[in-house]
Amino acid sequence: MYLTIKETAEYLSMTESKIEDLIKQKKIRAIHDGENWIINKDQFNTHLKQIEKYKHLIEEILNEPIPEDLDIKDED
């Protein structure tokens, strides 16, 4: 349920310094226990679901066949 900065970086495929920056910018909620930052893993569920949704949408768009151009079939 709770992750360290290193575990969070691996989970989100980011660098540890990027995670630290996001904590400082208050874009990631974290608790400092005196020695380490502790990050609740559940706060990323919505974000990861949205990423999967967008990946699926992009895949559908890229797999959609290109319609035939009407100008090509112009016969005199």
Side-chain angles (χ1 to χ4, degrees):
M1 178 180 258
Y2 289 98
L3 303 172
T4 63
I5 288 179
K6 182 177 181 178
E7 293 168 338
T8 304
E10 291 173 6
Y11 182 66
L12 298 177
S13 301
M14 297 178 150
T15 63
E16 291 180 38
S17 61
K18 180 65 176 173
I19 298 298
E20 290 172 356
D21 290 341
L22 291 172
I23 291 171
K24 289 175 186 174
Q25 296 171 13
K26 299 188 180 201
K27 292 185 178 182
I28 292 179
R29 292 181 309 242
I31 300 169
H32 194 265
D33 69 355
E35 295 180 17
N36 300 311
W37 286 101
I38 300 173
I39 302 161
N40 188 338
K41 184 178 178 180
D42 292 336
Q43 68 182 302
F44 305 113
N45 289 343
T46 304
H47 174 71
L48 295 174
K49 286 178 186 177
Q50 287 177 345
I51 288 174
E52 288 300 317
K53 179 181 170 183
Y54 290 127
K55 283 181 183 178
H56 182 68
L57 179 64
I58 290 170
E59 186 177 310
E60 284 181 4
I61 291 170
L62 291 176
N63 289 333
E64 186 176 309
I66 300 173
E68 292 186 34
D69 190 9
L70 296 177
D71 293 337
I72 294 176
K73 293 188 173 190
D74 187 26
E75 295 179 18
D76 290 330

